[in-house]
Amino acid sequence: MSNDIRAVCVIGWPVEHSRSPLIHNFWIGQHAIAGEYRREAVSPEEFPAFVKELALRGYAGANVTIPHKEVAMTLSVPDDRAEAVGAANTLWFEGDTLRSTNTDVEGFLANLDQMAPGWDRGLDGAIVLGAGGAARAIVFGLLSRGVKTIRVANRTFTRAQSLRDRFGDKVKPVAWDEVGGLLAGAGLLVNTTSLGMNGQPALDLRLEDLPKSAVVADIVYSPLVTPLLKEAKDLGLRRADGLGMLLHQAVRGFSLWFGVTPEVTPELRAMVEADLVKPKPE
Ligand code: NAP
């Protein structure tokens, strides 16, 4: 590898599905940077050694995806955001120190700001479906924007309770089958479960009871229009999709590694959309 090329990678297991190379290599080309963004399939057993040797391997930083986001934090110096969420998805060097952060928080918020401007104005109540890693980032983000009550519903109730334990009493765990009865009081509904994803069942939830001013966000991006977003559209509700979050969460990593703040443009979005709908090779 030439030393003139600044290399970054996404580390996952598996990692083939990741669209991050598509996004970052688009920006690398757009800004005529001598850089390269690669995929690295690294097993959980090999991950700590791989991260310790990141610089030796020629990398200026990395994204981290499933299943490494929690461990990545323990192998680096996390910022307040990664610490609060309990997971890191972006690694970079400050001198010799490997730092980490979680860009899902701002990815989610920036996408809502773009797709549903003013969504947080007077927003008292939100419902978050799911209580995994992405839900933690989103709950943290919603609290940072002053949302007063966040009802978290999860198939496994104890995981919803652990979000309340992490973030405090503004987070209210609710039973999975209670959600339908709570929609009338929600200004924002967010799906962070994998339901609605290609190959998974759809969420079993009707949205008629949501206020007309409510915003529906789904962080699943394959398919682009999930059954939840389709129903929200049919009801005339404002929406924010998972692809927008994915694109926006990539901005800060790029800026940390390459020193240029890239933009989420319609051209970038169209390129990734085209890849998402491309038939998979057999
Ligand atoms: P995770 O930590 O594994 O959490 C998965 C969540 O989905 C849990 O709450 C889980 O409930 C729930 N779930 C899974 N199958 C379910 C089912 N059959 N019925 C009800 N609930 C079910 O995963 P994650 O990292 O939070 O990611 C969640 C989703 O968000 C994935 O689809 C991922 O691709 C997507 N995502 C998108 C972005 C983006 O930029 N757009 C970023 C991050 C993640 P239990 O606790 O009961 O298992």
Side-chain angles (χ1 to χ4, degrees):
M1 183 198 339
S2 154
N3 284 335
D4 298 338
I5 297 279
R6 208 168 165 76
V8 178
C9 62
V10 53
I11 313 170
W13 186 257
V15 77
E16 300 78 48
H17 66 282
S18 173
R19 262 64 183 202
S20 291
L22 211 57
I23 299 167
H24 288 288
N25 285 320
F26 174 90
W27 283 331
I28 284 171
Q30 190 178 43
H31 294 280
I33 290 168
E36 193 182 351
Y37 187 106
R38 311 190 194 115
R39 286 188 177 85
E40 292 278 8
V42 179
S43 71
E45 296 73 37
E46 294 167 339
F47 182 70
F50 190 95
V51 170
K52 282 187 189 116
E53 292 168 1
L54 201 60
L56 265 179
R57 290 172 183 273
Y59 285 119
N63 279 129
V64 175
T65 187
I66 288 171
H68 303 312
K69 288 185 186 183
E70 276 86 9
V71 179
M73 229 185 64
T74 67
L75 298 167
S76 57
V77 180
D79 69 359
D80 292 352
R81 191 170 290 191
E83 192 96 62
V85 173
N89 68 352
T90 302
L91 303 173
W92 80 102
F93 287 99
E94 257 176 30
D96 290 337
T97 305
L98 185 63
R99 302 287 325 263
S100 62
T101 188
N102 187 310
T103 64
D104 281 340
V105 178
E106 70 221 59
F108 176 73
L109 294 175
N111 184 44
L112 265 181
D113 285 339
Q114 191 173 56
M115 292 197 161
W119 63 273
D120 55 342
R121 217 171 291 139
L123 178 65
D124 288 335
I127 297 177
V128 172
L129 307 174
R136 290 202 302 272
I138 286 166
V139 166
F140 176 75
L142 292 177
L143 289 171
S144 77
R145 293 289 285 265
V147 179
K148 295 197 182 68
T149 305
I150 303 170
R151 297 186 198 283
V152 176
N154 194 48
R155 176 180 62 176
T156 311
F157 185 66
T158 50
R159 289 187 89 192
Q161 288 174 313
S162 58
L163 258 80
R164 192 253 331 271
D165 297 344
R166 177 176 283 270
F167 294 114
D169 286 344
K170 288 182 179 166
V171 175
K172 316 269 183 218
V174 297
W176 187 243
D177 55 10
E178 267 181 73
V179 173
L182 297 167
L183 292 177
L188 173 69
L189 173 72
V190 188
N191 175 43
T192 78
T193 74
S194 42
L195 292 174
M197 206 163 118
N198 283 331
Q200 295 276 330
L203 265 166
D204 184 15
L205 188 64
R206 301 282 70 78
L207 303 182
E208 290 92 352
D209 289 342
L210 277 173
K212 286 286 161 241
S213 57
V215 176
V216 176
D218 198 335
I219 72 166
V220 168
Y221 56 82
S222 182
L224 283 166
V225 182
T226 60
L228 183 76
L229 290 175
K230 164 84 172 57
E231 191 188 349
K233 181 171 191 236
D234 292 346
L235 289 168
L237 301 172
R238 291 195 299 162
R239 303 164 309 282
D241 68 10
L243 177 56
M245 173 176 170
L246 182 74
L247 300 176
H248 282 283
Q249 70 73 32
V251 169
R252 191 148 57 100
F254 192 89
S255 142
L256 287 165
W257 305 317
F258 299 112
V260 177
T261 303
E263 270 185 73
V264 174
T265 55
E267 192 190 358
L268 170 67
R269 200 186 146 95
M271 195 258 314
V272 183
E273 272 189 19
D275 187 72
L276 282 168
V277 299
K278 206 165 66 183
K280 299 271 165 297
E282 290 301 313

